Amino acid sequence: MASRFWTQGNSDSDDDEPTDIDEPSSDTEPVDEPTNNTANRYIAGIHPDDSDDDDGQKRVVKSAKDKRFDEMASTVDQIKNAIKINDWVSLQETFDKINKQLDKVMRVIESQKIPNLYIKALVMLEDFLAQASSNKDAKKKMSPTNAKAFNSMKQKLKKNNKQYEDLIIKFRETPQSEEEKFEDDEDSDQYGSDDDEIIEPDQLKKPEPVSDSETSELGNDRPGDDDDAPWDQKLRKKDRLLEKMFMKKPSEITWDTVNNKFKEILEARGRKGTGRFEQVEQFTFLTKVAKTPAQKLQILFSVVSAQFDVNPGLSGHMPINVWKKCVQNMLVILDILVQHPNIKVDDSVELDENESKKGDDYDGPIHVWGNLVAFLEKIDAEFFKSLQCIDPHTREYVERLRDEPLFVVLAQNVQEYLESIGDFKASSKVALKRVELIYYKPHEVYEATRKLAELTVDGDNGEEVSEESKGFVDTRIIAPFVVTPELVARKPTFPENSRTLMDVLVSLIYKYGDERTKARAMLCDIYHHALLDEFAVARDLLLMSHLQENVHHMDISTQILFNRAMSQLGLCAFRVGLVSEAHGCLSELYSGGRVKELLAQGVSQNRYHEKTPEQERLERRRQMPYHMHINLELLESVHLTSAMLLEVPNMAANVHDAKRKIISKNFRRLLEVSEKQTFTGPPETVRDHVMAATRVLINGDFQKAFDIIASLEVWKFVKNRDTVLEMLKDKIKEEALRTYLFTFSSSYDSLSVDQLTNFFDLSLPRAHSIVSRMMINEELHASWDQPTGCIIFRNVELSRVQALAFQLTEKLSILAESNERASEARLGGGGLDLPPRRRDGQDYAAAAAGGGGGTSSGGRWQDLSYSQTRQGSGRAGYGGRALSFNQAGGSGGYSRGRGMGGGGYQNSSRTQGGSALRGPHGDVSTRMVSLRGVRA
Amino acid sequence: MAEYDLTPRIAPNLDRHLVFPLLEFLQERQLYNDNHILKAKIDLLNNTNMVDYAMDIHKTLYQTEDVPQDMIERRADVVARLKSLEDAAAPLVAFLQNASAVQELKADKHYNLQLLNDKYQIGPAQIEALYQYGKFQFECGNYSGAADYLYQYRALCTNSERSLSALWGKLAAEVLMQNWDIALEELNRLKEMIDSKNFSSPMNQVHSRIWLMHWSLFIFFNHDNGRTLIIDLFNQDKYLNAIQTGAPHLLRYLATAFIVNKRKRPQFKDFLKVIQQEQHSFKDPITEFLACVYVNYDFDGAQKKMRECEEVILNDPFLGKRVEESNFSTVPLRDEFLENARLFIFETYCRIHERIDMGVLAEKLNLNYEEAERWIVNLIRGSKLDAKIDSQTGTVIMEHNHPNVYEQLIEHTKALNSRTYKLVTQILEHAQAPAAH
């Protein structure tokens, strides 16, 4: 029943001629009209000349009376709405409200006459109540709360209506006449003067068919199917009502009206029963009628935050279309801010309520509450969340990814704006958001994004507009009072090269950002450098930032970022052929078997430790979206392969005391497991492959080992696959040669280098270089016979007793040293002049040669010679500390922090690694390296 | 060979005046077009007050007798300014030239200032004028005058910033006058100030260090003891850090110093690591040579690099310093470098070989057979090398000394005894000390 008003009302406001009204089709219809008329009549009475000079643009000062009436009118609208959806609870509320408003109105107009508007509402309610009571079925269907509200409403209305009995009766008798009486002047009022300003543009903008279809659509709305109607349709109606209210008298819309309405909606926020979408729509409508740019801005901010409210839970994400609108709103906000440089956005001070009253022409600064950066971060978080939630293997995910340019352009604009007002601290935060969108993209992906941004935004703009015209068709009916031209760019600009962009953003952050922002930017920077195969740069950045030491105190998402950067650095090291570095970066990540968790790329199950649901939820929230993942299989292959390359010759060299020098515990364990198997099938997993390769490599069959490793599928994900495999083959050959020499040196007296080159398919200089290095490092007790090109082995294989004796002496010296330390601690430092600790067996030999060798000449040679540690092993403790590991990972040979030149990330301080001189296989992972840090 | 020329990288870290010697050297070596160098000189001079010099160069460059108008104007300008500054500083200068008056000054700065103010009416304004005058003198190329004035200014000034820049000026003046001993003193003084001063930002400090190191190159490669001192300075953590951060090209000089300086072995190992690490940011034949010998054991490569090193040294303004002896000139550093580099190669080579063919050895050492044999014989005689020459087969046979296992064991445990003994004494002492109380 009630909705029939509606239908009619709509067609009125939409495209109607007065004739429509002249021929009332149903008996209830006219009831609608008086409302507006009454209101208008009053207004007309008070401002007789308004209609002449107002042109919709000028600000109109409204009287308190008008305001009251407006309020009441909107309440009546709410009642109608509630009636339509059979919502007694809100009906009850609005009923109370209208009673209160009535008091106010009475006070204002200082007369005894009850406004027709109110009476009309009562009539409406009465009708609806009667209808509802008679309809038993509907009554039964009501929810308990609704039914309760219905009953109490019935009581209240009865009581209330008694007071106005006469008026109601009178009203019921003469709705028609009253209607008609005012119809004429209203018409002239409205169309005579306002036509040009308001109606025309609408009609231009809004194509006829749309309105037609909508009218018919709405016309079909019968009370019966009201409940089933989609919410947005209802909203639209509701909105339209609001709009109608404003539209009928655009001249009367004052700053106060809007402000009051604004506050009213704002108050409803968060309250029970307030539709979130509805609120957004209400606010959106208000932006159209805002009188000053500042007010529009203020309302827009509320729109955005209302849009954030749409999705209340932490787990879900904001609907995508809302997200898009939100971005558009933010862009409009920026437009306003750019257009009116005197408007300042601030969230720190309590602001004067009337601040936004100051209009266009006001010169001084206007403060508006809001926080651009917080909004931007929220939008980013929502984008991130949506990607987390959407199944990555669907089209939806790809579609969602395509929205990235939207955000990029927003971030870019916000950053530009913040920079233009000189707020670099905030702009560095925005820059970080942008960095976080780029850093993980390899060049190809970046190119694609760039192209997409160029393409889609063109297409998108059109699409956007059409979408908007669909979505906001009704809100566009009146031209916004404050017209905001699109000032800021709607299209992101990407430089040719992702590196250039990174450099610009990152140096801005280093200059102005706070600690966390800087640390994150640094990690992204490292990641990105590693992605581009610039290992040295990435490594230097990592070391000079001292992030390894500090990362444990940072928040978890930064730690995850750190782990990601470390793994990427490891992959990078592997690609450029630095095997031990790669292993150093990755080993700690793998030492706990929780890689997935550490990289936030999936939840790992732990057998021994059940997670609480709370923990699990937290973990889920930290997950990386799929497109940012690092390929775990590749990571594992790289880790195990480099472990194999290091560990196989190491095992061969230390057959006797295998316990002591373990480079990769993880690898050893896997090897043990695989050796225990009674039957080994063909390799399937990455692990199987590497183990199979290890077995053949131990026997010196480099070709087969390489074949097995190369048969892994994952290598296809490596950028320059062929060169990497070439490098890998080379490394395998080298390690095979070393393993061979370690294993079989005792069986030979001399060995021709030609034979070696044949065995291992190595070039002569390469083989020579490898063997020479082994000799210098005393790994191989042999020397070259240059004229014949042979290696002459000196078998100084220790007997078991001798080996044990050496171990004993070593332990003795450790004992002596710990004694000294103990006494030093007791007696106070400096008491003892400690001899420098001998770190490895190798020094013994040199010292023995120097001191005990007897002949001075021999000693001098030895002394002069530089016993070089095996390259790279000193830096094995790369310190890839993964979060939540408390292992004292040595920040080994690389512990050389560097002060930074251009960027100046941190105080330049350099710590010379105390471990730089450490012996070849110093047990890196167990011993803490005391850094003698030298602060600059 | 211009590709290894470091002048473009060094020059930005020098004072304008200090660049002249470098340009002179380049002109001499004919690495670049003469006219380019002359133009560069004029550019340099444009911001100094050595207008006469600029005019001369202009004449030679364009082969004319005309001089641009602005130079003439500038000259008049400079002369006028010199005059006014001279006047301003005159009272103080007069005082300082009066030996008996200067006697009155004491070590106490405040007392001196008070004295000057009371007795001679010389206030801060005059002292400031002295600084300006000294600076102006320097810019005019009158280094000795500048050095004197700045020295005296430093004795009187209270502003530490000013004092620091006066010290820089003094150092530059001494370097340009080639007073290496005094320059070295100033250098050390400056170094202390830089290390102890609180800089507004660490960046500034690093920059000061980089400057200091660049300026010191003049001194170290001219001073007798410079090659040891350069290692002492550059190899300090703070300075090495600064090199790696801002001026990796300085590694060349440090590397050279290490090669010609045999005594610095322990630090050498660390330094090799630095070189490896910095491979990506700086690399020249000298550092590559070290990498070949000590990292890759690529002796052929090392030999090739050695030849390139020679070129580099000859074309480097600091390393390639010539000494004129009667009528032929030598580059002492080159000879020394080559000798040591050869020794480096040989040393490493011998360590891993049992038997070496003399011919091959001679080739590797860039010597002919006879020379090589003589060289080796000398080494053996000087008991630097434990080897014998087998002249029948033409080989050198190394006599490697491999310590007996038992000797090694004894060596290990030897120190334990004394250490334990020492420990015991200490504990006893400690125990007795409280007892005595």
Side-chain angles (χ1 to χ4, degrees):
Chain A
M1 275 292 245
S3 79
R4 228 178 282 155
F5 297 139
W6 254 116
T7 327
Q8 218 43 45
N10 273 326
S11 61
D12 274 354
S13 55
D14 280 346
D15 50 335
D16 24 86
E17 322 299 287
T19 50
D20 235 7
I21 299 154
D22 282 345
E23 17 179 87
S25 52
S26 82
D27 49 343
T28 37
E29 184 222 353
V31 187
D32 184 27
E33 294 309 311
T35 334
N36 297 315
N37 290 339
T38 9
N40 262 1
R41 190 175 41 177
Y42 278 103
I43 291 153
I46 292 154
H47 305 287
D49 50 351
D50 250 359
S51 53
D52 296 327
D53 62 358
D54 86 77
D55 45 12
Q57 310 287 334
K58 263 194 197 158
R59 289 177 50 208
V60 179
V61 181
K62 275 200 171 186
S63 70
K65 261 176 230 174
D66 298 341
K67 244 167 49 191
R68 300 293 168 220
F69 274 110
D70 287 343
E71 275 173 25
M72 197 179 252
S74 79
T75 320
V76 173
D77 290 341
Q78 282 175 26
I79 292 178
K80 282 183 196 161
N81 253 7
I83 286 175
K84 233 182 310 151
I85 57 169
N86 210 8
D87 181 359
W88 288 97
V89 181
S90 60
L91 208 55
Q92 202 177 351
E93 262 169 42
T94 36
F95 181 65
D96 289 346
K97 199 159 131 199
I98 203 166
N99 280 338
K100 270 184 217 153
Q101 280 167 350
L102 179 69
D103 288 350
K104 283 187 199 161
V105 174
M106 296 306 277
R107 235 180 294 139
V108 174
I109 58 172
E110 290 164 351
S111 85
Q112 295 305 309
K113 193 178 177 298
I114 306 292
N116 272 359
L117 185 63
Y118 179 74
I119 302 300
K120 190 201 106 190
L122 290 184
V123 171
M124 212 159 61
L125 279 172
E126 222 174 42
D127 287 351
F128 183 56
L129 197 72
Q131 184 202 339
S133 324
S134 62
N135 191 346
K136 299 277 187 229
D137 282 350
K139 220 168 154 187
K140 271 178 203 156
K141 268 190 242 162
M142 273 188 222
S143 70
T145 40
N146 220 4
K148 208 174 144 197
F150 167 71
N151 284 330
S152 70
M153 189 65 204
K154 212 166 151 187
Q155 309 268 320
K156 267 192 206 166
L157 198 67
K158 224 176 183 177
K159 221 168 93 193
N160 195 49
N161 281 8
K162 264 186 193 152
Q163 297 172 38
Y164 309 107
E165 227 164 340
D166 318 340
L167 284 167
I168 292 173
I169 294 165
K170 205 174 136 205
F171 182 81
R172 279 186 187 283
E173 278 167 3
T174 58
Q176 205 69 26
S177 59
E178 265 191 52
E179 164 79 3
E180 235 138 24
K181 209 159 83 196
F182 299 106
E183 195 61 27
D184 290 336
D185 32 80
E186 197 217 346
D187 279 352
S188 60
D189 253 18
Q190 201 180 326
Y191 298 128
S193 57
D194 297 342
D195 236 1
D196 314 333
E197 306 304 328
I198 309 300
I199 304 301
E200 284 298 346
D202 295 338
Q203 279 170 343
L204 282 179
K205 239 181 256 170
K206 207 183 99 183
E208 212 59 35
V210 175
S211 73
D212 273 346
S213 69
E214 268 182 33
T215 357
S216 60
E217 189 190 323
L218 291 168
N220 290 336
D221 261 351
R222 293 287 142 204
D225 47 47
D226 256 349
D227 285 339
D228 309 324
W231 60 269
D232 55 334
Q233 219 168 54
K234 275 184 235 157
L235 273 185
R236 208 169 293 164
K237 281 183 237 155
K238 157 105 184 169
D239 208 41
R240 198 158 291 191
L241 188 80
L242 257 173
E243 196 174 290
K244 188 172 68 181
M245 172 189 114
F246 280 110
M247 187 187 138
K248 291 245 161 149
K249 43 196 165 56
S251 51
E252 277 73 37
I253 299 172
T254 60
W255 180 83
D256 280 317
T257 339
V258 180
N259 196 38
N260 284 337
K261 186 72 197 157
F262 172 58
K263 270 195 212 143
E264 190 184 305
I265 304 173
L266 208 58
E267 266 163 36
R269 185 181 169 186
R271 245 185 242 156
K272 222 175 163 184
T274 319
R276 294 194 175 91
F277 285 101
E278 205 171 306
Q279 224 184 5
V280 172
E281 294 298 325
Q282 285 172 343
F283 277 131
T284 316
F285 174 73
L286 278 181
T287 60
K288 307 289 174 193
V289 295
K291 293 303 265 191
T292 64
Q295 191 177 35
K296 184 169 178 184
L297 194 65
Q298 197 180 8
I299 299 170
L300 269 172
F301 273 123
S302 303
V303 175
V304 175
S305 44
Q307 280 169 334
F308 288 145
D309 279 350
V310 164
N311 174 53
L314 276 164
S315 45
H317 64 90
M318 194 161 156
I320 288 161
N321 53 349
V322 179
W323 185 87
K324 278 186 186 160
K325 277 181 203 161
C326 195
V327 172
Q328 296 302 334
N329 284 332
M330 284 295 283
L331 286 171
V332 177
I333 288 177
L334 285 172
D335 283 334
I336 298 176
L337 286 172
V338 172
Q339 194 190 5
H340 303 279
N342 57 337
I343 300 179
K344 303 263 181 298
V345 175
D346 206 334
D347 67 338
S348 50
V349 264
E350 226 11 78
L351 290 167
D352 180 17
E353 197 185 295
N354 293 324
E355 193 82 358
S356 61
K357 205 167 184 171
K358 296 162 186 165
D360 244 341
D361 38 355
Y362 185 76
D363 280 339
I366 305 172
H367 292 274
V368 174
W369 184 90
N371 188 342
L372 286 175
V373 179
F375 280 176
L376 187 85
E377 281 176 344
K378 180 85 181 159
I379 291 177
D380 178 52
E382 290 295 342
F383 183 61
F384 191 83
K385 261 201 266 177
S386 68
L387 285 171
Q388 277 178 328
C389 293
I390 300 171
D391 178 4
H393 303 291
T394 57
R395 200 167 153 63
E396 201 187 352
Y397 192 80
V398 183
E399 288 296 322
R400 185 63 180 145
L401 273 179
R402 282 167 160 271
D403 292 338
E404 201 181 88
L406 274 181
F407 178 74
V408 171
V409 72
L410 178 64
Q412 201 174 329
N413 287 325
V414 171
Q415 194 188 339
E416 270 161 28
Y417 171 73
L418 289 171
E419 270 163 37
S420 74
I421 60 164
D423 189 353
F424 288 105
K425 218 170 161 48
S427 84
S428 71
K429 276 189 192 147
V430 181
L432 178 67
K433 290 287 156 217
R434 293 178 66 195
V435 166
E436 284 178 1
L437 282 181
I438 313 165
Y439 78 95
Y440 59 87
K441 293 192 167 91
H443 188 67
E444 297 76 26
V445 179
Y446 178 80
E447 267 310 298
T449 320
R450 203 164 71 97
K451 293 231 174 71
L452 174 84
E454 269 162 25
L455 278 177
T456 49
V457 178
D458 282 341
D460 234 25
N461 257 351
E463 197 183 303
E464 213 66 37
V465 168
S466 62
E467 197 179 294
E468 227 168 88
S469 56
K470 266 185 263 142
F472 292 112
V473 81
D474 34 7
T475 51
R476 286 238 170 159
I477 280 172
I478 49 165
F481 291 145
V482 182
V483 185
T484 315
E486 292 196 353
L487 286 175
V488 292
R490 291 297 199 261
K491 196 167 166 178
T493 47
F494 282 108
E496 274 303 305
N497 193 337
S498 55
R499 195 58 247 168
T500 350
L501 184 58
M502 281 292 282
D503 283 338
V504 172
L505 295 173
V506 158
S507 51
L508 177 87
I509 297 172
Y510 293 156
K511 211 162 166 190
Y512 301 106
D514 56 25
E515 278 309 310
R516 180 174 181 273
T517 316
K518 275 198 277 190
R520 284 189 75 91
M522 179 62 89
L523 288 170
C524 292
D525 204 10
I526 292 168
Y527 190 104
H528 194 254
H529 274 297
L531 210 58
L532 299 180
D533 278 352
E534 293 168 35
F535 177 74
V537 184
R539 175 201 66 195
D540 284 352
L541 279 176
L542 179 72
L543 293 172
M544 73 180 113
S545 61
H546 295 277
L547 280 170
Q548 277 165 291
E549 289 117 75
N550 303 330
V551 78
H552 296 271
H553 310 296
M554 291 179 184
D555 57 318
I556 291 181
S557 101
T558 308
Q559 292 189 356
I560 289 170
L561 188 59
F562 177 82
N563 289 340
R564 283 167 57 78
M566 276 315 272
S567 15
Q568 198 56 244
L569 196 62
L571 291 179
C572 169
F574 189 78
R575 281 197 300 266
V576 297
L578 300 166
V579 172
S580 60
E581 278 83 351
H583 180 257
C585 290
L586 299 179
S587 62
E588 229 166 317
L589 206 59
Y590 275 90
S591 60
R594 294 192 296 161
V595 196
K596 273 189 191 169
E597 191 186 322
L598 294 177
L599 291 176
Q601 294 186 176
V603 190
S604 56
Q605 301 294 323
N606 197 327
R607 234 178 308 164
Y608 308 106
H609 178 69
E610 260 321 295
K611 276 184 211 126
T612 62
E614 181 60 23
Q615 271 175 321
E616 229 162 89
R617 215 173 312 130
L618 278 174
E619 204 173 302
R620 206 144 300 202
R621 221 175 296 151
R622 291 198 288 261
Q623 295 299 307
M624 286 287 147
Y626 185 72
H627 67 288
M628 293 170 76
H629 281 197
I630 297 171
N631 189 325
L632 285 177
E633 211 174 321
L634 178 64
L635 204 62
E636 193 181 9
S637 322
V638 167
H639 169 242
L640 287 179
T641 311
S642 42
M644 174 187 82
L645 288 175
L646 296 174
E647 193 67 88
V648 167
N650 180 41
M651 288 189 306
N654 303 294
V655 188
H656 286 301
D657 45 3
K659 288 263 152 47
R660 258 187 66 218
K661 291 151 187 168
I662 292 174
I663 295 172
S664 170
K665 277 193 182 134
N666 191 24
F667 180 82
R668 286 280 175 105
R669 211 188 55 240
L670 291 177
L671 192 62
E672 258 169 49
V673 171
S674 91
E675 270 166 1
K676 268 182 205 157
Q677 284 174 348
T678 34
F679 172 72
T680 38
E684 278 169 13
T685 61
V686 171
R687 211 174 277 182
D688 292 345
H689 275 86
V690 177
M691 289 308 130
T694 307
R695 275 193 296 273
V696 288
L697 190 61
I698 288 174
N699 296 329
D701 188 348
F702 76 90
Q703 187 59 50
K704 206 165 177 192
F706 172 73
D707 288 345
I708 294 173
I709 297 279
S711 68
L712 278 172
E713 282 282 311
V714 282
W715 297 122
K716 69 169 183 263
F717 297 117
V718 181
K719 216 186 320 176
N720 31 14
R721 176 169 176 270
D722 294 334
T723 47
V724 168
L725 285 182
E726 202 53 45
M727 177 280 296
L728 195 60
K729 187 167 188 176
D730 205 47
K731 293 277 172 198
I732 291 179
K733 279 183 204 169
E734 181 181 334
E735 299 308 330
L737 168 64
R738 281 161 49 79
T739 314
Y740 178 80
L741 285 178
F742 279 131
T743 320
F744 300 108
S745 67
S746 54
S747 323
Y748 286 101
D749 210 22
S750 68
L751 184 60
S752 150
V753 74
D754 293 334
Q755 202 177 348
L756 277 184
T757 53
N758 281 342
F759 272 177
F760 295 101
D761 191 26
L762 283 163
S763 69
L764 190 68
R766 182 116 176 82
H768 192 275
S769 165
I770 295 168
V771 177
S772 301
R773 187 178 303 142
M774 289 173 77
M775 290 174 182
I776 296 261
N777 292 340
E778 314 238 343
E779 290 170 332
L780 188 65
H781 299 282
S783 50
W784 289 102
D785 187 53
Q786 193 263 326
T788 55
C790 282
I791 306 166
I792 312 278
F793 293 95
R794 294 187 308 273
N795 286 320
V796 283
E797 193 81 358
L798 298 179
S799 68
R800 176 125 182 90
V801 179
Q802 286 165 339
L804 285 176
F806 270 110
Q807 282 180 21
L808 177 68
T809 55
E810 210 160 299
K811 287 198 172 129
L812 276 178
S813 55
I814 291 169
L815 180 69
E817 193 168 317
S818 48
N819 265 340
E820 277 159 4
R821 278 187 203 289
S823 77
E824 191 182 14
R826 246 316 179 35
L827 309 178
L832 283 173
D833 186 17
L834 287 178
R837 182 174 174 185
R838 297 254 153 79
R839 289 227 166 77
D840 52 64
Q842 195 185 313
D843 276 7
Y844 293 135
T855 53
S856 59
S857 58
R860 193 167 314 154
W861 267 114
Q862 285 284 16
D863 223 17
L864 287 174
S865 64
Y866 156 56
S867 62
Q868 203 214 358
T869 59
R870 195 175 148 255
Q871 188 195 0
S873 57
R875 52 175 75 149
Y878 208 95
R881 290 186 206 173
L883 70 112
S884 73
F885 289 139
N886 291 324
Q887 273 184 12
S891 39
Y894 263 140
S895 48
R896 175 186 62 90
R898 275 206 342 187
M900 176 136 164
Y905 170 70
Q906 216 173 4
N907 297 354
S908 67
S909 61
R910 175 172 183 269
T911 46
Q912 178 87 43
S915 57
L917 279 172
R918 207 130 39 91
H921 305 299
D923 25 34
V924 178
S925 57
T926 51
R927 202 191 295 156
M928 251 319 246
V929 181
S930 63
L931 297 178
R932 99 190 117 86
V934 187
R935 294 277 146 195
Chain B
M1 278 316 279
E3 63 174 311
Y4 296 120
D5 182 31
L6 288 183
T7 319
R9 298 179 74 168
I10 290 177
N13 293 304
L14 292 176
D15 190 89
R16 267 170 196 285
H17 297 255
L18 292 173
V19 182
F20 282 109
L22 303 187
L23 289 181
E24 295 283 348
F25 182 86
L26 288 181
Q27 204 172 359
E28 212 175 286
R29 292 294 308 172
Q30 305 274 318
L31 274 182
Y32 299 99
N33 192 326
D34 241 12
N35 282 347
H36 287 174
I37 291 184
L38 287 178
K39 270 188 198 138
K41 276 190 181 175
I42 291 190
D43 282 348
L44 268 182
L45 288 168
N46 270 345
N47 282 346
T48 69
N49 295 332
M50 295 151 82
V51 191
D52 287 341
Y53 188 32
M55 284 176 180
D56 286 346
I57 294 175
H58 187 86
K59 283 175 197 161
T60 33
L61 179 60
Y62 298 105
Q63 313 281 339
T64 58
E65 281 303 305
D66 304 325
V67 171
Q69 192 57 35
D70 59 324
M71 280 200 183
I72 297 171
E73 279 165 20
R74 197 164 147 65
R75 186 173 193 287
D77 233 32
V78 167
V79 173
R81 200 163 139 61
L82 181 65
K83 192 83 195 113
S84 72
L85 279 172
E86 198 174 351
D87 290 344
L92 189 54
V93 173
F95 161 80
L96 290 167
Q97 274 160 357
N98 181 350
S100 61
V102 172
Q103 292 275 307
E104 290 177 49
L105 295 180
K106 293 188 186 168
D108 184 1
K109 252 187 199 170
H110 288 287
Y111 170 82
N112 289 345
L113 290 179
Q114 196 66 36
L115 178 90
L116 285 174
N117 209 356
D118 297 348
K119 211 166 166 185
Y120 301 93
Q121 284 77 47
I122 296 172
Q126 276 81 13
I127 296 180
E128 174 64 23
L130 184 70
Y131 171 80
Q132 296 296 352
Y133 186 50
K135 189 164 173 246
F136 203 77
Q137 287 279 356
F138 179 81
E139 279 166 9
C140 291
N142 179 5
Y143 303 124
S144 67
D148 285 348
Y149 294 134
L150 290 176
Y151 173 73
Q152 278 150 348
Y153 171 76
R154 270 179 47 73
L156 293 172
C157 96
T158 45
N159 179 343
S160 70
E161 282 297 322
R162 267 295 157 73
S163 171
L164 190 67
S165 44
L167 197 51
W168 280 106
K170 178 93 182 350
L171 176 61
E174 297 295 347
V175 166
L176 287 164
M177 287 189 299
Q178 312 207 333
N179 291 334
W180 306 123
D181 283 325
I182 303 173
L184 188 62
E185 273 173 40
E186 300 295 344
L187 182 75
N188 286 332
R189 209 167 289 154
L190 197 54
K191 176 178 172 287
E192 266 165 43
M193 279 182 80
I194 290 173
D195 287 347
S196 60
K197 190 170 170 272
N198 263 334
F199 278 88
S200 53
S201 87
M203 280 289 286
N204 286 345
Q205 195 171 29
V206 170
H207 278 306
S208 301
R209 289 203 173 114
I210 291 174
W211 273 62
L212 187 77
M213 283 188 283
H214 278 97
W215 292 33
S216 72
L217 291 176
F218 287 99
I219 302 166
F220 289 141
F221 286 102
N222 286 299
H223 194 269
D224 296 336
N225 206 13
R227 287 170 211 165
T228 322
L229 292 174
I230 191 175
I231 296 177
D232 291 346
L233 179 71
F234 283 23
N235 209 34
Q236 282 178 26
D237 284 343
K238 291 175 201 162
Y239 287 85
L240 203 52
N241 178 22
I243 290 177
Q244 290 176 325
T245 312
H249 52 271
L250 288 176
L251 286 176
R252 171 192 289 181
Y253 299 102
L254 191 52
T256 315
F258 267 117
I259 292 173
V260 296
N261 202 323
K262 279 166 250 163
R263 271 164 300 180
K264 295 287 184 182
R265 286 307 168 113
Q267 290 130 310
F268 188 52
K269 290 177 200 168
D270 286 351
F271 178 66
L272 284 174
K273 287 212 164 61
V274 174
I275 284 186
Q276 270 174 270
Q277 249 167 33
E278 294 306 316
Q279 260 173 355
H280 65 95
S281 58
F282 179 75
K283 170 150 86 165
D284 76 354
I286 298 182
T287 58
E288 280 170 344
F289 168 76
L290 286 177
C292 277
V293 179
Y294 287 101
V295 181
N296 301 325
Y297 305 101
D298 174 5
F299 299 102
D300 294 329
Q303 196 190 334
K304 220 181 287 159
K305 290 290 166 203
M306 214 161 103
R307 268 184 239 123
E308 287 176 27
C309 286
E310 193 175 342
E311 283 294 307
V312 170
I313 288 174
L314 287 178
N315 286 322
D316 188 289
F318 298 106
L319 303 176
K321 195 187 64 157
R322 277 152 198 286
V323 176
E324 303 288 334
E325 260 178 54
S326 54
N327 52 5
F328 73 104
S329 71
T330 56
V331 180
L333 200 99
R334 174 190 59 180
D335 302 340
E336 217 171 316
F337 179 89
L338 291 182
E339 174 71 19
N340 277 298
R342 202 170 288 149
L343 206 62
F344 272 35
I345 296 179
F346 185 59
E347 202 176 89
T348 319
Y349 201 69
C350 289
R351 273 190 72 202
I352 55 170
H353 279 80
E354 190 112 337
R355 211 152 56 103
I356 310 165
D357 188 85
M358 291 272 276
V360 177
L361 200 56
E363 197 186 301
K364 291 232 187 307
L365 297 173
N366 275 352
L367 297 168
N368 65 34
Y369 190 86
E370 299 292 318
E371 274 177 337
E373 189 167 4
R374 196 174 307 125
W375 195 69
I376 291 165
V377 168
N378 276 333
L379 282 178
I380 296 173
R381 276 181 26 148
S383 52
K384 281 180 181 165
L385 177 63
D386 198 17
K388 293 274 188 298
I389 293 176
D390 182 344
S391 63
Q392 192 187 2
T393 54
T395 52
V396 185
I397 299 168
M398 304 296 145
E399 298 198 346
H400 281 284
N401 203 304
H402 300 292
N404 189 307
V405 179
Y406 303 108
E407 280 172 10
Q408 287 182 36
L409 272 181
I410 291 168
E411 188 55 36
H412 277 199
T413 42
K414 221 175 179 176
L416 287 180
N417 194 13
S418 66
R419 277 165 79 184
T420 317
Y421 184 72
K422 206 168 165 187
L423 187 69
V424 169
T425 4
Q426 204 121 45
I427 289 170
L428 281 179
E429 266 173 29
H430 188 73
Q432 275 161 8
H437 276 293

